[in-house]
Amino acid sequence: MPDPQPESSREARGINQPSLFFAFSALMFQLGLALVSFEQIRPFFDIQISDYFFFLSLLLFLSRPKLRLLEARGSGALLAGSLILLGALLSLKNAASWMDAAPPLARLVALFGLFACLAVIHSNAIRKGILFVVAGIFINCSVAILQAWVYPGIVDALSINAIRPDLGADGGRLQGLTSHPNVLGFCAALAVLLGLEMSTLEMGRRIRPWLAIQVFVCALAALLSGSRTFFVALVPGLLVFVLLQRRHLRAILRPLVALALLWAALAYFAPSTVSEYSERLGSTSADFAPDYSRLVSAGLAVADISEKPILGWGVDHFEDAGLWLNPEGELAGVHNSFLKYWYGAGLFGAAGFLAVFVLPTRQIVKALRSGPAEASRGILCMALSSYVLLFIVSNVAPIIYNRFLYVPIFMFAGFTRSALDPRMRMGKTRAGERRPPAPNRQLLPAANAAPNRA
């Protein structure tokens, strides 16, 4: 007998049914999330180790995509990425040569065209994704601590085709296996924020002792990195989360008490490190010159942008934005991602960069107003606070391709889209867990239907 179910019903059920290929794709994606901060490990062809897992996840997904590609629409992340890619393509008119523009263009396509789609598709398992991100940053921070007090050569031993020399090799600011001490501070800020927030939610209740260790280690590594943005970005992000949880007094008090206890523990176990970081945070006279240098670079970048505001100077000129020889005899560029995108990828690139944050944020606010379930609300609050932290980070550092910033944004955007979709909300018991499909009514004979005389 022919299958009485319509084709659309079978396809919809096929989306909800997990497949082996999709499960392995999700696992590879999660392993890639854990390695997004390991920028100094590039086994072959100068490709970051996390990208190998992302590409493998993509291949496994494309083997049986069915209709899952439709789930990537409506998140805002793909529209923002499309604007950036459009700006990058238009900027090729001003590129020095096709050979120079090909590598940065390929990196933009991989990040905003492939990894963005992959992150949105796998956002249904966002709880695991968050844990993998936090665990990977925790390992990287542990490497920095081991370098400081146990094994000074551990970073050189673990690095493969490092893109930059280790700045902490001579006892200075530590960077772990990231590309710069500031990047270690940024990653640690995200991990501390997510760790503190998870400890207040149901999803982190059973692992609170582990989260306490993770938060302590990442905060200590951030102090060793000397990144002032760790503190500057963490506090506003945590404040946003606290305000969103204003209905629950415990949810407000826990992160504040945890932050106070964390600072007290760091002051007790590493007083010299806390003292040095406090002096740096206060912008002593030794730090005025770099701060002024960044302001000069930003002004030069704006002046250059005004010459080619629409098409930009070409994606092969990202690193030239605001470049000048400072009084210390060093080449300094602009420390603002928005200006870099506008300088290199023109007006569309700048608009796309802002849309990466603005469009998902609007979706999050809309989802919070729709009265989501408590579990979904907690993750939405984590998403909004993380966006605040990462937006601050992007405005004080030149972050063009760094996976630790963009991939979590795409993942949160995908979860928010599913939280807004009534069909997705009806098909889930908890975020990332689908209910069995409802029985197809067409299989049941209607009460007043005539008997089949065949």
Side-chain angles (χ1 to χ4, degrees):
M1 295 179 60
D3 190 353
Q5 301 183 53
E7 186 67 22
S8 60
S9 174
R10 290 198 301 270
E11 289 177 346
R13 186 177 64 179
I15 294 178
N16 292 334
Q17 289 179 342
S19 68
L20 185 62
F21 284 101
F22 189 77
F24 275 111
S25 176
L27 177 60
M28 292 299 102
F29 174 74
Q30 291 157 5
L31 292 176
L33 285 175
L35 296 169
V36 290
S37 64
F38 291 76
E39 298 172 328
Q40 296 287 71
I41 301 180
R42 299 169 178 267
F44 306 101
F45 309 110
D46 194 30
I47 298 177
Q48 186 177 328
I49 187 171
S50 61
D51 290 5
Y52 290 97
F53 290 93
F54 288 147
F55 280 122
L56 182 56
S57 174
L58 186 65
L59 289 175
L60 289 169
F61 164 74
L62 291 178
S63 62
R64 294 187 64 185
K66 291 189 176 179
L67 296 181
R68 291 188 186 271
L69 286 173
L70 298 177
E71 299 183 12
R73 300 184 303 177
S75 65
L78 302 186
L79 175 59
S82 299
L83 288 174
I84 292 177
L85 294 179
L86 175 60
L89 290 173
L90 294 176
S91 74
L92 295 178
K93 184 175 185 289
N94 295 326
S97 67
W98 286 94
M99 294 296 295
D100 293 334
L105 182 61
R107 297 175 72 178
L108 290 175
V109 170
L111 178 58
F112 295 105
L114 301 179
F115 299 163
C117 183
L118 194 65
V120 172
I121 290 170
H122 287 302
S123 61
N124 59 335
I126 195 167
R127 285 179 173 80
K128 289 184 179 179
I130 293 172
L131 291 175
F132 272 87
V133 169
V134 170
I137 296 175
F138 167 77
I139 295 174
N140 208 339
C141 290
S142 300
V143 169
I145 294 175
L146 291 175
Q147 181 186 14
W149 292 311
V150 180
Y151 180 22
I154 187 172
V155 170
D156 290 333
L158 296 177
S159 298
I160 302 175
N161 295 329
I163 56 175
R164 291 188 180 94
D166 179 20
L167 299 180
D170 57 354
R173 298 169 57 190
L174 301 182
Q175 65 186 57
L177 290 169
T178 66
S179 57
H180 193 274
N182 285 338
V183 176
L184 180 64
F186 304 155
C187 294
L190 179 62
V192 170
L193 178 69
L194 294 176
L196 289 175
E197 292 174 347
M198 278 193 293
S199 66
T200 68
L201 302 178
E202 182 68 26
M203 63 180 291
R205 179 172 297 179
R206 292 180 294 180
I207 55 174
R208 280 177 184 166
W210 183 90
L211 289 174
I213 297 174
Q214 171 263 321
V215 168
F216 178 82
V217 169
C218 291
L220 181 56
L223 299 186
L224 292 172
S225 73
S227 172
R228 292 173 291 178
T229 310
F230 164 75
F231 185 81
V232 173
L234 175 61
V235 172
L238 192 59
L239 181 61
V240 169
F241 181 79
V242 168
L243 293 177
L244 291 173
Q245 297 293 325
R246 61 185 181 276
R247 297 180 302 174
H248 307 285
L249 182 60
R250 290 183 179 180
I252 296 176
L253 294 178
R254 282 176 182 170
L256 296 179
V257 172
L259 197 60
L261 292 176
L262 173 63
W263 188 259
L266 291 173
Y268 178 80
F269 288 104
S272 60
T273 302
V274 172
S275 177
E276 293 174 3
Y277 184 81
S278 299
E279 293 178 1
R280 180 172 172 78
L281 190 63
S283 292
T284 59
S285 58
D287 291 320
F288 281 146
D291 293 339
Y292 288 143
S293 176
R294 294 184 181 186
L295 291 176
V296 172
S297 297
L300 292 174
V302 171
D304 292 337
I305 289 171
S306 64
E307 297 182 19
K308 298 180 180 180
I310 306 300
L311 299 182
W313 290 80
V315 291
D316 54 328
H317 293 293
F318 274 133
E319 300 303 323
D320 298 335
L323 197 64
W324 70 299
L325 189 65
N326 62 24
E328 298 178 355
E330 299 176 350
L331 285 175
V334 64
H335 279 63
N336 183 284
S337 303
F338 171 72
L339 292 179
K340 271 190 173 286
Y341 269 100
W342 199 345
Y343 180 90
L347 183 61
F348 286 100
F353 175 80
L354 290 180
V356 166
F357 295 92
V358 174
L359 294 181
T361 297
R362 289 183 59 188
Q363 296 280 69
I364 292 173
V365 173
K366 184 178 178 181
L368 287 172
R369 290 177 176 175
S370 67
E374 193 63 29
S376 296
R377 176 181 172 81
I379 296 179
L380 291 171
C381 293
M382 293 176 66
L384 189 57
S385 61
S386 298
Y387 278 26
V388 171
L389 182 149
L390 295 174
F391 184 73
I392 294 174
V393 165
S394 69
N395 280 279
V396 297
I399 299 178
I400 305 299
Y401 313 106
N402 301 65
R403 277 66 170 126
F404 83 89
L405 185 137
Y406 296 104
V407 177
I409 289 177
F410 301 148
M411 187 172 59
F412 279 125
F415 175 81
T416 305
R417 185 209 62 82
S418 64
L420 284 171
D421 191 338
R423 294 169 300 177
M424 300 287 288
R425 293 170 65 181
M426 292 176 59
K428 295 183 180 180
T429 55
R430 294 198 305 255
E433 296 183 4
R434 299 184 183 275
R435 293 175 182 168
N440 193 324
R441 299 180 183 273
Q442 295 188 12
L443 293 178
L444 303 178
N448 56 352
N452 189 349
R453 302 180 184 278

